[in-house]
Amino acid sequence: MPVTLKPKTVSTPAAGAARRCPRLAPALLGVLLGLAACGPGNRDANLTEELNQAQEERLAFNKITLSEADERGSRIWEIRANRAIYSRDRKVAAIQGVTGSFFKDGETVLTTRATRGQANQETQELRLEGAVQAQSLNDQVSLQAERLEWQPEQKRLLATGNVVLNKADLPYTIRGNQLTVLVQNERYLLEGNVVVTSDNPPTQLRTESLDWDSKAGVLRLDKPFTVARGPNGQDGTARADSGQFNLKAQTAVLQDNIQISLADPPLQLSGNYLVWAMRQKLVESSTPFTVRHRTQNLTISAGRGTVDLSAMLVNFSGSVQALAANGGQLNAQQLVWQVRDKLATATGNVVYQQPQNSARVTGDRAVAKLDDQTIQVSGNNVVTRIVP
């Protein structure tokens, strides 16, 4: 449907303008003729003169309303401007002092304001510029940007220039270079230097693009990203090739080429699927992963496990392998690592090897004291083998 203009006041073109007398755009002509038919006689004469003069390049309006409707006649957007200059040859209205609304199923879903803008009667595109602000009413998301554009073919809003997003019930601010708003399903797609920050608790996420489902409060990340927890990342940092971040639960799902670095305890975690529950201080993996202690020089890998940062306890299950700095290697089915006490307890098909002296010990259970680098293997079937 074409853009409709509803002027309240019409101004004549500037003196000295070229008088080519082209025909008016039909929508504008109908509006102006309607105004002419409603007034008294002297006003009719004035409007007739204005109509003759309006067949120039430009028309000026004060207090104008512009709107766009879909093929069923339902409003898509409606914009009110303090002043508008309509260019007949370009079929473009330049507007100033702009406020407006966007609609879904007849209900207002987003309000906006800007210093100035432009409405194109042919393409039905709407562009707003200068201190742009918008508010999504359904999910209480507020937007600030330098420019905002309605793209009718894609049925989306495009914001550019210092984009800032906030949500009333979340202590996070999201910034980026460009934002695409899918008005119908309340999704926000950000691109270019995207930064998500929170002061309470201190958290920062950086990436090049993300898809924010505002209803679920979830950021979907399909490009490499980093997360820093605590002031200057002192509580831990992470990077991954893709994943999700739940703003409400403060949980990060990390996928592919993951590296998590923790300060206390000084652990390095790697794998291809890890869930970091920041509020609970838990890291879980249901797939193979590796944990390395940077000062104890111990590296443990397993098929799955849990890292409890509050208790400083790590549980490993499935094909556990522990490698010590002295070359010792321990294999088992389960292993519990008490990080603070520097104690590791392994159970299930325990095998301990010391390559430097060709010693191999098997049993049901093993306890390793990392402080003095000793290990005790026990069980009903303890076997020690030394290869000369």
Side-chain angles (χ1 to χ4, degrees), residues 175-326:
R175 303 175 186 271
N177 294 343
Q178 178 176 296
L179 167 70
T180 301
V181 183
L182 304 178
V183 178
Q184 299 300 312
N185 54 12
E186 298 173 11
R187 282 174 55 202
Y188 302 83
L189 313 178
L190 286 102
E191 296 179 274
N193 298 315
V194 180
V195 181
V196 183
T197 56
S198 173
D199 292 329
N200 185 27
T203 307
Q204 184 180 88
L205 183 149
R206 289 182 174 271
T207 186
E208 278 303 307
S209 68
L210 62 80
D211 178 350
W212 180 24
D213 182 340
S214 64
K215 280 188 174 180
V218 174
L219 306 176
R220 295 184 175 90
L221 305 136
D222 60 1
K223 290 188 178 180
F225 68 97
T226 61
V227 180
R229 183 75 166 179
N232 299 316
Q234 69 181 26
D235 293 338
T237 60
R239 64 92 45 213
D241 285 352
S242 61
Q244 294 185 7
F245 189 82
N246 189 311
L247 299 176
K248 294 180 180 179
Q250 298 178 29
T251 300
V253 177
L254 302 103
Q255 294 176 276
D256 302 322
N257 297 316
I258 303 165
Q259 294 290 333
I260 297 179
S261 181
L262 303 172
D264 186 21
L267 300 178
Q268 190 83 26
L269 285 69
S270 59
N272 286 311
Y273 186 88
L274 294 172
V275 179
W276 184 7
M278 298 178 180
R279 184 180 293 159
Q280 293 81 11
K281 296 186 177 182
L282 289 173
V283 181
E284 296 180 290
S285 178
S286 58
T287 63
F289 77 116
T290 300
V291 180
R292 182 176 69 88
H293 198 294
R294 293 192 294 272
T295 60
Q296 294 181 14
N297 293 318
L298 179 65
T299 301
I300 304 176
S301 59
R304 59 190 180 277
T306 303
V307 182
D308 187 333
L309 300 175
S310 295
M312 293 198 179
L313 190 70
V314 187
N315 282 279
F316 298 91
S317 299
S319 303
V320 181
Q321 182 182 80
L323 298 174
N326 62 5

Side-chain angles (χ1 to χ4, degrees), residues 34-357:
L35 288 174
C38 297
N42 60 344
R43 181 59 179 160
D44 290 346
N46 291 337
L47 278 177
T48 301
E49 182 181 352
E50 289 176 355
L51 283 172
N52 290 332
Q53 293 177 346
Q55 296 177 9
E56 305 277 349
E57 288 298 323
R58 300 192 307 167
L59 285 170
F61 303 93
N62 294 323
K63 303 297 182 181
I64 189 171
T65 299
L66 304 93
S67 64
E68 182 193 348
D70 60 21
E71 59 277 2
R72 298 173 300 175
S74 299
R75 285 183 299 175
I76 298 175
W77 56 259
E78 184 175 274
I79 294 295
R80 295 164 295 282
N82 292 333
R83 184 167 174 79
I85 304 295
Y86 180 76
S87 171
R88 179 194 173 280
D89 59 339
R90 296 172 55 213
K91 296 186 179 180
V92 169
I95 51 181
Q96 297 178 355
V98 183
T99 60
S101 303
F102 286 81
F103 303 91
K104 176 184 177 182
D105 300 328
E107 300 292 330
T108 303
V109 293
L110 185 140
T111 60
T112 186
R113 65 175 58 247
T115 304
R116 58 191 179 277
Q118 187 179 90
N120 190 308
Q121 191 174 11
E122 280 196 338
T123 66
Q124 303 175 25
E125 291 181 350
L126 174 68
R127 296 180 182 179
L128 305 179
E129 295 183 357
V132 176
Q133 297 182 28
Q135 178 77 36
S136 175
L137 303 184
N138 290 342
D139 54 11
Q140 296 299 301
V141 173
S142 62
L143 161 68
Q144 298 178 45
E146 295 175 7
R147 295 168 294 277
L148 183 66
E149 177 180 342
W150 168 249
Q151 298 178 332
E153 290 189 4
Q154 296 86 355
K155 295 183 179 179
R156 67 185 186 184
L157 286 167
L158 180 67
T160 56
N162 298 316
V163 176
V164 180
L165 286 174
N166 288 282
K167 196 171 189 297
D169 60 346
L170 291 174
Y172 288 89
T173 298
I174 306 176
R175 303 175 186 271
N177 294 343
Q178 178 176 296
L179 167 70
T180 301
V181 183
L182 304 178
V183 178
Q184 299 300 312
N185 54 12
E186 298 173 11
R187 282 174 55 202
Y188 302 83
L189 313 178
L190 286 102
E191 296 179 274
N193 298 315
V194 180
V195 181
V196 183
T197 56
S198 173
D199 292 329
N200 185 27
T203 307
Q204 184 180 88
L205 183 149
R206 289 182 174 271
T207 186
E208 278 303 307
S209 68
L210 62 80
D211 178 350
W212 180 24
D213 182 340
S214 64
K215 280 188 174 180
V218 174
L219 306 176
R220 295 184 175 90
L221 305 136
D222 60 1
K223 290 188 178 180
F225 68 97
T226 61
V227 180
R229 183 75 166 179
N232 299 316
Q234 69 181 26
D235 293 338
T237 60
R239 64 92 45 213
D241 285 352
S242 61
Q244 294 185 7
F245 189 82
N246 189 311
L247 299 176
K248 294 180 180 179
Q250 298 178 29
T251 300
V253 177
L254 302 103
Q255 294 176 276
D256 302 322
N257 297 316
I258 303 165
Q259 294 290 333
I260 297 179
S261 181
L262 303 172
D264 186 21
L267 300 178
Q268 190 83 26
L269 285 69
S270 59
N272 286 311
Y273 186 88
L274 294 172
V275 179
W276 184 7
M278 298 178 180
R279 184 180 293 159
Q280 293 81 11
K281 296 186 177 182
L282 289 173
V283 181
E284 296 180 290
S285 178
S286 58
T287 63
F289 77 116
T290 300
V291 180
R292 182 176 69 88
H293 198 294
R294 293 192 294 272
T295 60
Q296 294 181 14
N297 293 318
L298 179 65
T299 301
I300 304 176
S301 59
R304 59 190 180 277
T306 303
V307 182
D308 187 333
L309 300 175
S310 295
M312 293 198 179
L313 190 70
V314 187
N315 282 279
F316 298 91
S317 299
S319 303
V320 181
Q321 182 182 80
L323 298 174
N326 62 5
Q329 177 178 315
L330 176 67
N331 293 79
Q333 288 304 306
Q334 292 86 31
L335 187 143
V336 178
W337 183 8
Q338 297 167 262
V339 179
R340 183 184 289 110
D341 298 330
K342 300 179 181 180
L343 190 69
T345 303
T347 56
N349 300 323
V350 173
V351 178
Y352 176 69
Q353 301 178 78
Q354 284 188 337
Q356 64 271 32
N357 56 22

